[in-house]
Amino acid sequence: MFILKAPDVSIRVSILVGALLTLSGCAMYSVAGQFENGGDPFFGHVAVLPGDMGTLDVSTADGKLKCAGSTQVTKRPSLLSVTGAQGRAEATCTDGRTFKLDFIQTSESGGHGQGIDNQGNIVQVYFNTSSSAVRARLDQARIDALVR
């Protein structure tokens, strides 16, 4: 006779949350970026909601700079794939800075964007469903900038 154990409650909750996000059309991405003027890198999340509107929340590791704003997917090449989707984001930061950027989804798991803040500084962002992948992409971009 086999005895089946019920899954741990935390596993059941995780499965339920994942299923709800999938069914509702929500997508969550980790974000990493940096202002080109050499400021500290920032990290956070983007939540894309049904209707292609979303929220953006990022902060520096020390928490001194926090930025929050919105995203909008403006172009979807296909209903079956997010690869190639394009959009815009804008945010306001706790230091008074605001920025706007354009982004493109280059794979099913993520993409990148570039924009400018109200002080004329360029901002680069990378987003991915994997937080380690987005951090690695930012690290590579920072190394590339040093060798230029």
Side-chain angles (χ1 to χ4, degrees):
M1 172 157 66
F2 293 101
I3 299 174
L4 297 175
K5 286 185 161 185
D8 180 81
V9 173
S10 63
I11 293 172
R12 285 185 277 171
V13 170
S14 295
I15 292 170
L16 178 61
V17 168
L20 288 173
L21 287 174
T22 301
L23 292 173
S24 69
C26 295
M28 186 70 86
Y29 296 94
S30 292
V31 177
Q34 186 167 20
F35 291 96
E36 212 170 65
N37 67 352
D40 289 337
F42 53 82
F43 304 94
H45 293 93
V46 170
V48 181
L49 308 170
D52 290 336
M53 299 289 290
T55 59
L56 168 68
D57 292 292
V58 296
S59 63
T60 55
D62 62 8
K64 289 183 180 176
L65 179 68
K66 295 179 183 181
C67 306
S70 62
T71 66
Q72 172 68 53
V73 175
T74 58
K75 179 182 175 186
R76 277 192 182 269
S78 165
L79 292 175
L80 303 176
S81 173
V82 294
T83 302
Q86 298 175 30
R88 293 191 172 96
E90 58 183 62
T92 301
C93 304
T94 53
D95 65 355
R97 179 185 340 215
T98 60
F99 66 86
K100 294 181 180 185
L101 60 87
D102 294 318
F103 62 83
I104 185 165
Q105 183 134 2
T106 55
S107 72
E108 287 295 316
S109 60
H112 57 89
Q114 183 174 356
I116 193 164
D117 71 9
N118 60 327
Q119 300 169 2
N121 300 304
I122 293 173
V123 60
Q124 298 279 346
V125 297
Y126 305 96
F127 59 95
N128 198 293
T129 54
S130 162
S131 61
S132 60
V134 80
R135 285 179 182 266
R137 180 64 186 95
L138 178 62
D139 289 344
Q140 185 61 52
R142 294 173 75 195
I143 291 168
D144 292 346
L146 290 173
V147 281
R148 284 187 204 146

